Amino acid sequence: MKLPSLSVLLFLPCISVSAQYFSKGWTPGQPVEPTTTVETPAAIPTGSSASSSPKETGSSFSLWDLMDPINIVKAKPVASVFQRFGVNVTERIEQAEKDKDYWDPRIPILRDDNYQSFFEEEEFSSPEELKERVWAIVVSVPDATGKQTVSRFVDEHFDAAFDDITKNGQLPHVKWARIDYFNVTYLTTKWNMWRAPAIVILQDRGLTLRFYQANQIRLRDNAFRDFMLQEVWKMHAPWISSFAPGGEREWIMHNFALFMKLVYDQSSKLPKWVLMIISGAVGSLLLGFLHKSPSATATPSPQPLPQKATVAAGSGSTKKPAALHGDSGKTPVKKKGKK
């Protein structure tokens, strides 16, 4: 019995201390006091949680990034192997990225998703302004490897003509643009362009087109600037065909260009080495089909030639075929009558 009484004695000081926190309650007529809430400060991330939050909000890392040839070559084990042979892979890749930016940034680049806003949906204040509008477009090939010397030559003279004409305030009705041939599929297919570099003179919201290959016009010694200033392009006939823009069969080129764009958009997501394997497999199947030998059932088997009658050596007579209608084959003997 001493243990319960001792526990009661120990609990009495706690009751007296905590009694001061008990409320007297609400009495009738007493105004209601608004309750206040204490806002707890937000927890500040520390340590590893703070450093891991930006990674969660960053761009996701996909499996295609692992198979990217550039990422594979830039990896430390692969780069160290090239370094032993005196090849700095990182510098080569950075130099290739810099070479992509040699185009004049003042010239806009037309793509499949923005070309309509440039010349098809362009707003004019008068029909005369629409009639005078001319677009000078160069179709370029990116020169990241330094092997596209012809395309770079055309780009340099095109940019020089643009710079000289705009600085002197000439040809205000002419606008300039560039098309990346490797990254534009719909527009070049619809225009039936299968070679680059080239220069396009566009009018009437894209209904009137003139095409010039690099070997068809002179580009040296500011010749292209004079070509534009003197409007020499008016002396050449535009593209007139039933498949051209505005023709009765334009829908064929439009649908074909949409199909080619769909194929390009899907194939561009695959790494280059996968495309190389697929193209090699398709090529081998096609060659095997074209060089396929004809089957045995297709050609009839050779028939033996009929044998001819031969004359027996050393005999002066030949065998005659048996007579028809039951004859024995003997020559008939005429019988003589009695006198």
Side-chain angles (χ1 to χ4, degrees), residues 10-327:
L10 294 174
F11 186 68
L12 286 177
C14 298
I15 296 177
S16 61
V17 172
S18 61
Q20 58 181 342
Y21 297 101
F22 294 149
S23 175
K24 296 180 180 179
W26 177 80
T27 57
Q30 182 180 359
V32 179
E33 297 180 358
T35 58
T36 59
T37 58
V38 180
E39 296 181 358
T40 59
I44 301 175
T46 57
S48 60
S49 61
S51 60
S52 61
S53 57
K55 297 181 181 179
E56 296 176 357
T57 59
S59 59
S60 59
F61 189 79
S62 61
L63 181 61
W64 300 115
D65 296 333
L66 292 175
M67 295 186 293
D68 189 2
I70 297 179
N71 293 334
I72 294 175
V73 173
K74 291 174 63 177
K76 290 184 178 180
V78 180
S80 61
V81 174
F82 282 98
Q83 189 68 30
R84 293 182 180 179
F85 294 96
V87 179
N88 194 333
V89 179
T90 306
E91 291 183 359
R92 295 292 182 89
I93 295 177
E94 291 178 355
Q95 184 65 31
E97 294 293 334
K98 292 179 181 179
D99 291 340
K100 293 181 180 180
D101 300 332
Y102 71 92
W103 290 340
D104 194 329
R106 297 173 297 173
I107 300 178
I109 298 179
L110 301 182
R111 301 188 305 272
D112 288 334
D113 56 352
N114 69 347
Y115 75 95
Q116 294 179 345
S117 61
F118 279 92
F119 55 83
E120 286 190 358
E121 301 175 357
E122 187 179 3
E123 297 181 357
F124 300 97
S125 59
S126 62
E128 290 76 12
E129 186 180 0
L130 171 60
K131 188 177 181 180
E132 293 178 356
R133 172 68 69 221
V134 177
W135 281 84
I137 305 172
V138 58
V139 182
S140 305
V141 180
D143 190 16
T145 59
K147 298 180 180 179
Q148 301 294 338
T149 56
V150 178
S151 181
R152 174 164 288 201
F153 176 79
V154 175
D155 288 330
E156 290 176 354
H157 287 275
F158 184 86
D159 295 351
F162 161 77
D163 184 68
D164 186 78
I165 291 175
T166 53
K167 281 184 178 180
N168 296 327
Q170 299 171 320
L171 301 179
H173 62 283
V174 176
K175 289 192 174 183
W176 308 73
R178 174 176 276 109
I179 291 178
D180 186 352
Y181 183 74
F182 285 163
N183 294 322
V184 175
T185 305
Y186 171 80
L187 199 57
T188 55
T189 305
K190 185 180 179 181
W191 289 352
N192 199 22
M193 297 187 64
W194 305 102
R195 292 177 60 187
I199 293 177
V200 183
I201 304 297
L202 183 144
Q203 288 180 292
D204 302 330
R205 298 185 185 273
L207 297 179
T208 304
L209 299 171
R210 292 176 173 87
F211 303 98
Y212 301 93
Q213 296 295 330
N215 57 351
Q216 293 179 343
I217 58 177
R218 184 181 177 185
L219 298 174
R220 296 179 180 273
D221 303 328
N222 297 324
F224 184 70
R225 182 197 62 182
D226 299 335
F227 179 84
M228 295 300 299
L229 290 175
Q230 300 174 9
E231 297 183 344
V232 182
W233 49 268
K234 289 185 177 181
M235 301 172 59
H236 306 117
W239 180 30
I240 300 176
S241 172
S242 58
F243 298 96
E248 59 181 3
R249 297 180 182 178
E250 180 190 2
W251 61 273
I252 298 178
M253 299 300 296
H254 169 71
N255 294 329
F256 180 62
L258 289 178
F259 172 74
M260 294 297 293
K261 182 179 182 299
L262 178 63
V263 172
Y264 172 77
D265 292 341
Q266 298 301 324
S267 61
S268 60
K269 298 178 182 179
L270 299 175
K272 294 182 179 179
W273 61 272
V274 175
L275 294 177
M276 188 179 299
I277 294 175
I278 295 175
S279 61
V282 173
S284 62
L285 291 176
L286 182 61
L287 290 176
F289 175 77
L290 294 177
H291 296 278
K292 183 179 179 181
S293 59
S295 58
T297 58
T299 57
S301 58
Q303 298 293 334
L305 296 175
Q307 296 180 357
K308 296 181 180 179
T310 58
V311 179
S315 62
S317 62
T318 58
K319 293 182 179 181
K320 297 182 179 179
L324 299 177
H325 306 291
D327 294 339

